[in-house]
Amino acid sequence: MRIDEKEFLLEIIDGKKMDFYLEDDMFEIEGRAKKENDEIIIEVLDGVGHVLEICGQYLKLIDRANCLYARRLDTDKIFQMEINRVYDKLTNPAAEDFMKMSNLGVEQFFKKQTDTLVWFDTDQKKWVIELNKINMYFSGDRYYYDTVYELFEENKEQMAGVWQAVYYSSEAESA
């Protein structure tokens, strides 16, 4: 993670949900970050059983030597950490919700359940939906729309459900 990314991340993280990894574990953990006395505390919300046992319920984010770490508050065990996404959840959003969130700095919207990604392509000036993004790579079918309203109209079934309005993603930029 670049220093400018880390500074941005630490600035926006308060009150947001996040998906992250600890150490070299391949299982993603879900949490919620909160600033307390200039420190960031992460409440662990969900993850695979054995990972929840390892990481505990609360972690303190530590920024040291250009790396992020998480210290378990009850045992002081320290893990190297990688933050995958920082987001707010949207349930059954409307086109207006995507517009509002875009104006607040959200660059992409991710529907975890179906691996669907939506973003505004600034080069082409089009809204893009990528259906069934596979294995972290942008490999699904892409469709381009002049407006977010057209995207919602043409993809009604896909747009229903829970979405992540992503402020930060460690994934490669959409191309």
Side-chain angles (χ1 to χ4, degrees):
M1 173 180 294
R2 297 185 329 257
I3 290 174
D4 61 332
E5 275 185 325
K6 192 182 311 178
E7 288 173 5
F8 170 74
L9 182 61
L10 294 174
E11 186 178 306
I12 65 151
I13 202 167
D14 186 35
K16 306 281 189 299
K17 294 197 181 206
M18 56 193 296
D19 293 340
F20 61 96
Y21 299 95
L22 295 179
E23 306 275 322
D24 294 327
D25 201 314
M26 62 186 258
F27 295 103
E28 191 172 68
I29 305 165
E30 293 183 22
R32 178 180 23 251
K34 182 178 180 185
K35 280 189 182 178
E36 294 180 1
N37 302 322
D38 292 327
E39 297 179 330
I40 297 172
I41 305 299
I42 300 162
E43 178 184 9
V44 176
L45 300 174
D46 197 14
V48 176
H50 77 279
V51 175
L52 293 175
E53 289 178 27
I54 292 168
C55 70
Q57 186 175 2
Y58 293 98
L59 300 164
K60 177 182 165 186
L61 192 65
I62 302 168
D63 175 17
R64 185 184 323 155
N66 292 326
C67 288
L68 288 177
Y69 296 91
R71 181 175 57 82
R72 186 172 165 164
L73 292 183
D74 60 345
T75 66
D76 288 332
K77 177 155 177 58
I78 295 176
F79 307 92
Q80 190 166 1
M81 174 187 226
E82 178 183 341
I83 296 176
N84 190 25
R85 281 185 298 280
V86 174
Y87 59 91
D88 283 323
K89 282 193 175 181
L90 297 174
T91 302
N92 297 321
E96 291 81 9
D97 296 321
F98 274 31
M99 292 298 298
K100 176 183 172 189
M101 296 306 290
S102 289
N103 291 334
L104 294 174
V106 169
E107 295 186 359
Q108 57 183 231
F109 301 88
F110 180 61
K111 188 175 181 184
K112 196 172 192 177
Q113 183 181 20
T114 60
D115 277 334
T116 299
L117 191 65
V118 171
W119 71 95
F120 183 75
D121 184 323
T122 55
D123 293 332
Q124 296 187 39
K125 306 287 188 233
K126 302 258 186 197
W127 281 89
V128 184
I129 186 168
E130 183 171 85
L131 304 173
N132 300 315
K133 182 177 77 68
I134 300 169
N135 295 329
M136 304 287 286
Y137 296 103
F138 298 94
S139 59
D141 294 327
R142 288 184 183 177
Y143 301 94
Y144 296 81
Y145 300 92
D146 290 326
T147 70
V148 70
Y149 300 100
E150 289 176 272
L151 183 147
F152 268 76
E153 184 62 33
E154 293 293 319
N155 298 280
K156 285 180 186 174
E157 287 181 27
Q158 193 60 248
M159 301 313 292
V162 178
W163 285 80
Q164 296 176 352
V166 181
Y167 292 90
Y168 168 84
S169 176
S170 65
E171 297 176 7
E173 290 293 316
S174 54

